[in-house]
Amino acid sequence: MTATHPTHGAHAPSAKREWAGGLTVFAAVTLMLVGVLDIFRGIMGIAEDDVFVTTQNYVFKFDLTAWGWTHLVLGAIAVLVGLGLGRGALWARVSGVVIAGLVVIANFLSLPYYPVWSVVMIAFSGFVIWALCVGGRSRT
């Protein structure tokens, strides 16, 4: 008698492909969320500087309105790249890693103005980078 059960290796490429697809969807949704939240943060910085705490002795001291515009632009680009990731575009995968890295840098430099939120955004962006780097490795 021969067994008609599929071997473990036959399901591996399909499972890897589904895992990679799931990570890409995760990265797309998370990047769009990061983008929308960064847009709101940018609007807060542009419209109302009083929302943020100012630190007198910080090495990277910038104008809060400039930070607002920086976050607004990064957020808008992140949303667009997230939409591209949802469509499965290769340019969006590469751009997603780059824009998430820029969001990490921008949030690191703005730590003294909004510390807890900056750490949260750094973590979200780190998850996006991880998902995009790991999710593209599915080989069949």
Side-chain angles (χ1 to χ4, degrees), residues 11-53:
H11 288 290
S14 176
K16 286 182 183 178
R17 202 173 308 121
E18 288 179 18
W19 174 255
L23 283 177
T24 302
V25 170
F26 169 79
V29 170
T30 306
L31 189 61
M32 284 189 287
L33 177 67
V34 164
V36 169
L37 294 174
D38 231 11
I39 288 171
F40 289 149
R41 183 176 182 178
I43 291 170
M44 286 186 332
I46 294 167
E48 189 70 40
D49 287 345
D50 298 338
V51 173
F52 298 99
V53 176

Side-chain angles (χ1 to χ4, degrees), residues 66-83:
W67 273 122
W69 281 107
T70 301
H71 286 286
L72 182 68
V73 169
L74 284 175
I77 294 171
V79 169
L80 292 175
V81 171
L83 291 172

Side-chain angles (χ1 to χ4, degrees), residues 66-133:
W67 273 122
W69 281 107
T70 301
H71 286 286
L72 182 68
V73 169
L74 284 175
I77 294 171
V79 169
L80 292 175
V81 171
L83 291 172
L85 279 172
R87 299 192 64 149
L90 179 61
W91 66 266
R93 180 175 293 279
V94 174
S95 300
V97 173
V98 171
I99 196 70
L102 291 174
V103 169
V104 167
I105 292 168
N107 279 289
F108 173 77
L109 292 175
S110 64
L111 268 169
Y113 303 112
Y114 220 45
V116 175
W117 192 246
S118 292
V119 170
V120 168
M121 294 297 283
I122 288 170
F124 276 152
S125 299
F127 285 134
V128 169
I129 293 170
W130 171 80
L132 290 175
C133 290

